[in-house]
Amino acid sequence: MCIRDRYQRRVHGEELKKQFTRKKFSQGKMATRNYLKIGRVCRINYGADYGKHVVVLDVIDSKRALVEGPNDKIPRQSINFNRLTPMRFVAKICRGVHTGILKKAIEKQGIQRDIENSNAYKRTQQTKLRAGLTDFERFRAQVLRFRLAKQARHQARVLSRGGAATKKLPQRKSDSHELGCRFEYIY
């Protein structure tokens, strides 16, 4: 070790210690939000019940939990933690409650309403809607997206020139009305 290295260690030693020391785990918002505990609402991310919501009733061991989904008609069963995606909703229930009490607690606390208003639920519903479209309906949705993009380009062009939108594109009969409003949230 040369003299220069010793000098740098002595002078800059405190900075090096600060730079390379481990930070302690902080109990921040993200750390406490999504861990699995009794009452946590989770979404099943694998298997036959993919996309359905369950509530953790009990933790069996370090890898499994006892869950039940009364609203999605999922019976009480043991499921691996790897197959659960925790959500931010927690039902205030006791450990191992009966199905009827669980249903009442979910209804009283408005958890089902919160789940339906979450972005993840809306995204899965949109994916299911798109998967159920026929070839012709997918084509109609594509045409609607093109029309919407054309109107947006037109408005942007008019506004970039500094004027108000005086000339409007001709309005066509709504395709979503013809198809029973199925394309309201597709594009």
Side-chain angles (χ1 to χ4, degrees), residues 3-177:
I3 297 174
R4 182 174 177 219
D5 289 340
R6 285 186 200 155
Y7 173 75
Q8 284 184 344
R9 281 189 179 180
R10 190 179 64 213
V11 173
H12 301 292
E14 291 302 316
E15 293 177 15
L16 289 174
K17 283 181 186 175
K18 288 180 185 175
Q19 185 178 6
F20 292 109
T21 54
R22 265 186 145 172
K23 293 183 179 178
K24 291 184 178 179
F25 180 73
S26 64
Q27 293 283 331
K29 185 175 181 183
M30 289 301 291
T32 60
R33 194 181 95 183
N34 278 341
Y35 68 95
L36 290 168
K37 63 180 185 178
I38 295 172
R40 174 74 64 185
V41 177
C42 300
R43 193 178 54 143
I44 298 177
N45 59 21
Y46 183 80
D49 295 326
Y50 176 81
K52 295 183 179 179
H53 296 90
V54 294
V55 178
V56 176
L57 300 177
D58 195 5
V59 177
I60 297 172
D61 57 17
S62 63
K63 294 189 177 215
R64 294 178 301 148
L66 182 68
V67 298
E68 184 175 2
N71 293 335
D72 288 332
K73 295 182 178 70
I74 296 177
R76 189 174 294 224
Q77 60 185 316
S78 169
I79 194 165
N80 196 329
F81 284 145
N82 294 334
R83 294 185 180 211
L84 297 176
T85 302
M87 299 183 77
R88 67 176 183 262
F89 312 113
V90 179
K92 295 178 183 174
I93 57 171
C94 296
R95 179 174 167 241
V97 298
H98 294 288
T99 305
I101 297 172
L102 179 64
K103 279 183 184 179
K104 288 178 185 176
I106 288 174
E107 192 176 311
K108 184 178 179 183
Q109 297 170 18
I111 291 176
Q112 186 64 28
R113 181 191 66 236
D114 293 341
I115 290 171
E116 290 172 359
N117 290 334
S118 68
N119 288 333
Y121 182 81
K122 290 176 183 176
R123 194 167 44 244
T124 56
Q125 293 303 316
Q126 185 179 14
T127 305
K128 286 179 185 176
L129 178 67
R130 285 184 180 177
L133 294 178
T134 64
D135 188 31
F136 181 65
E137 289 172 337
R138 279 193 296 275
F139 170 73
R140 295 294 282 250
Q142 178 186 15
V143 169
L144 287 172
R145 279 196 306 272
F146 288 159
R147 285 186 195 163
L148 184 66
K150 185 176 180 180
Q151 288 177 351
R153 280 194 309 269
H154 175 73
Q155 294 295 328
R157 190 179 313 121
V158 168
L159 293 174
S160 68
R161 293 178 183 163
T166 56
K167 182 183 175 188
K168 291 188 176 182
L169 291 174
Q171 295 293 324
R172 296 185 180 179
K173 187 176 179 183
S174 173
D175 288 330
S176 61
H177 179 67

